[in-house]
Amino acid sequence: MYKHLAFGLLMGLSGGAVAQQTAIDSSKYPRLKTFTAIQDQAEMMQQLGIKKLRPGPSGNEADPNHANYDESKAEPCPQLPDVLTTRNGKKVTMPDQWWKQRRPELIEDFEREMYGKLPANLPKVNWIVKVTDNEFVGRIPVIAKQLIGRVDNSAYPLINVNINMVLVVPQNVKGPVPVMMMLGFPTLPAPAQPSPADLEKINIAFKEMMIKSNPEMKVIFDRYPAYAPITRLPGANFFAPPPNGDSPPTEQLLAAGWGYCTIEPGSIQADNGAGLTRGIIGLVNKGQPRKPDDWGALRAWAWGASRALDYLETEPQVNAKQVGVEGVSRYGKAALVAMAFDQRFAMGLIGSSGKGGTTLQRRIFGEAVESLAGSGEYHWMAGNYLKYAAAEASSGPKTGCDLPIDSHELLALCAPRPTFVSYGIPEKGDAKWLDQMGSYKATIAAGPVFKLLGARDLGVSNDYNTEKMPDVLTGLTNGELAWRQHNGGHTDAPNFQYVIPWASKLFKYDRVAK
């Protein structure tokens, strides 16, 4: 109990909170700007010469400005930029051309127009293990570690950034083991329980402390002499059935001999525009607003995932050459960005990521470029992205068709590493807003790069305008590039039973019991 309380207190200091250290002389540093999201967005629009943005569509189909769900109107510019043609029009036919010319071109375009550049003055992260515990997940013995990545803020001590992460690896498997890094909310498994004798000592000390704090407690405890305020949590159930496809993904991973770690994106960068002068973005900008090509939250979260991978490379129980990255929705976008920009990630599971993730920017179906440029989501992207939702601007109005890159090329940056695109169905909550078809087209269009680099794509033609999306529950999982639409909602959990054996086979990993 106290362990989790301490972690909660530490989490309260994370996410780029303004430091409360009274010893800091704030007059020595630039004054920290405090904006609302609307004010910050207006500041960026002014920098870009944008007078007015087009409003995003409504997700409610009953509204007059509802999003388009008519496939016949979804393709204003159906021809995608050719992923294997360089800026000067030269066709890429050899892997060397991809690595030395075309891939760097795409990286530059994505950094400038969509996700932002990493600053040159990025601080170091010092990882501290707060807790190491021997615990159980289901009936699997594990070592669980609670970690804090303290970002060096000596250049601007008015902002603290402490990255929260939990790592869990199985103890009943010979290591080192593959690990799935999950973007979400880290919690330790149920903590190991004190023995009955130790628990009795804890209760005696706890009662004494309560009576000392409030003498009235003595009368209450005397009235119930056998009462123990602190009790044991239920232990591991060794008679429970083994994990299956309906079990939590973490249990499925451990049963397959994998570990997992969970990193909290909000402890790296807040998920709102008002936080852009805080968090890691605010820290490197010394509390000042962004420039148009500065990074947004998606790139910041991906940077944090890379720093977590730095730590995993020091863990002897982890095979750092077999670390995957996973996320759903906005965290699916961030997982894809992390996979694309950091080639150390060995595989990616990209769940229900929509626009800004695997869905094509050019398509007008559900979520639109204007949606991502709105005040609720613009902070995910570089400021330059606002240009593509501009109705009135010094550079003229632009749309997603004007983007020099699109999501098929972001997927291509992951090649030849295993990349699994996952969606659910609208009937269960994975809304049409996400444009599953737009993601499928992008996955097909990324295929030529996988094949160029000696990997396998979906196993269908690369004609993204004619290929029919597979039926639900029909996975295309024979290659390093994979697709599967499950029959659940806004989650990738139903696909884990397919992802784990798919990735293990490609990694040539077999679980070996101790």
Side-chain angles (χ1 to χ4, degrees), residues 80-318:
L80 299 178
D82 185 359
V83 67
L84 288 177
T85 299
T86 66
R87 287 177 189 159
N88 62 12
K90 188 174 182 179
K91 191 69 177 175
V92 175
T93 59
M94 299 294 291
D96 198 53
Q97 292 174 281
W98 168 259
W99 295 114
K100 291 184 177 179
Q101 184 175 1
R102 184 59 178 146
R103 193 177 196 277
E105 285 181 352
L106 292 173
I107 290 284
E108 182 180 341
D109 286 342
F110 275 112
E111 287 190 322
R112 183 184 63 250
E113 303 299 330
M114 286 190 66
Y115 301 110
K117 298 178 181 178
L118 293 184
N121 58 333
L122 277 166
K124 293 182 178 180
V125 178
N126 179 35
W127 285 97
I128 298 169
V129 179
K130 301 297 295 183
V131 171
T132 300
D133 204 359
N134 296 307
E135 303 178 356
F136 280 88
V137 173
R139 57 182 183 178
I140 300 170
V142 300
I143 297 175
K145 293 186 178 183
Q146 181 189 98
L147 299 115
I148 302 293
R150 291 182 177 164
V151 180
D152 179 9
N153 69 341
S154 57
Y156 192 71
L158 302 183
I159 292 176
N160 288 335
V161 180
N162 296 302
I163 305 173
N164 298 318
M165 183 171 76
V166 165
L167 170 66
V168 179
V169 293
Q171 293 195 63
N172 59 348
V173 177
K174 289 185 179 179
V177 300
V179 165
M180 183 73 83
M181 183 183 298
M182 310 168 88
L183 303 181
F185 303 96
T187 57
L188 283 167
Q193 302 297 296
S195 68
D198 286 344
L199 193 63
E200 183 179 1
K201 294 177 183 177
I202 292 171
N203 271 297
I204 290 171
F206 183 77
K207 287 182 179 181
E208 290 175 349
M209 180 179 67
M210 291 291 290
I211 292 169
K212 185 176 181 180
S213 173
N214 183 354
E216 294 180 3
M217 291 294 103
K218 185 176 187 309
V219 176
I220 296 174
F221 287 137
D222 287 345
R223 192 180 303 152
Y224 307 102
Y227 173 68
I230 301 173
T231 58
R232 288 170 60 92
L233 294 173
N237 181 5
F238 296 103
F239 299 100
N244 57 36
D246 295 324
S247 301
T250 50
E251 290 191 28
Q252 293 185 53
L253 286 163
L254 291 167
W258 286 56
Y260 69 88
C261 70
T262 308
I263 186 169
E264 181 190 358
S267 67
I268 303 161
Q269 182 63 42
D271 188 14
N272 56 67
L276 287 171
T277 55
R278 310 294 197 274
I280 185 61
I281 295 174
L283 176 58
V284 296
N285 285 342
K286 297 186 177 179
Q288 305 308 299
R290 296 185 299 167
K291 298 295 187 291
D293 62 355
D294 282 353
W295 51 341
L298 292 178
R299 192 79 197 274
W301 295 340
W303 170 84
S306 291
R307 302 292 70 76
L309 182 53
D310 293 344
Y311 171 79
L312 295 180
E313 289 180 331
T314 70
E315 268 285 353
Q317 297 159 303
V318 172

Side-chain angles (χ1 to χ4, degrees), residues 60 135 260 408 456:
N60 185 348
E135 303 178 356
Y260 69 88
H408 65 301
R456 294 161 295 172

Side-chain angles (χ1 to χ4, degrees), residues 71 74-75 358-360 363 365 423 432 434-444 464-470 483 485:
E71 195 61 47
E75 304 280 2
T358 56
T359 291
L360 291 168
R363 274 175 59 88
F365 190 99
Y423 274 91
K432 290 188 295 183
L434 297 168
D435 188 12
Q436 289 88 342
M437 175 60 82
S439 283
Y440 182 64
K441 285 175 175 279
T443 308
I444 290 176
Y464 49 83
N465 279 324
T466 61
E467 280 291 345
K468 182 179 180 293
M469 193 164 70
W483 165 276
Q485 188 177 11

Side-chain angles (χ1 to χ4, degrees), residues 81 109 113-114 361-362 369 384-385 388 398-406 409:
D109 286 342
E113 303 299 330
M114 286 190 66
Q361 297 282 324
R362 283 162 167 71
V369 167
N384 276 331
Y385 186 81
Y388 300 97
K398 293 184 178 182
T399 71
C401 291
D402 296 304
L403 273 163
I405 60 304
D406 214 324
E409 292 165 312

Side-chain angles (χ1 to χ4, degrees), residues 356-434:
T358 56
T359 291
L360 291 168
Q361 297 282 324
R362 283 162 167 71
R363 274 175 59 88
I364 301 176
F365 190 99
E367 189 175 23
V369 167
E370 292 83 359
S371 306
L372 265 64
S375 60
E377 297 178 357
Y378 81 98
H379 60 277
W380 294 341
M381 319 299 282
N384 276 331
Y385 186 81
L386 296 178
K387 296 183 299 185
Y388 300 97
E392 298 177 24
S394 57
S395 58
K398 293 184 178 182
T399 71
C401 291
D402 296 304
L403 273 163
I405 60 304
D406 214 324
S407 58
H408 65 301
E409 292 165 312
L410 190 67
L411 279 164
L413 294 178
C414 302
R417 294 162 292 152
T419 306
F420 194 113
V421 180
S422 167
Y423 274 91
I425 57 175
E427 295 81 359
K428 294 289 184 68
D430 213 34
K432 290 188 295 183
W433 178 259
L434 297 168

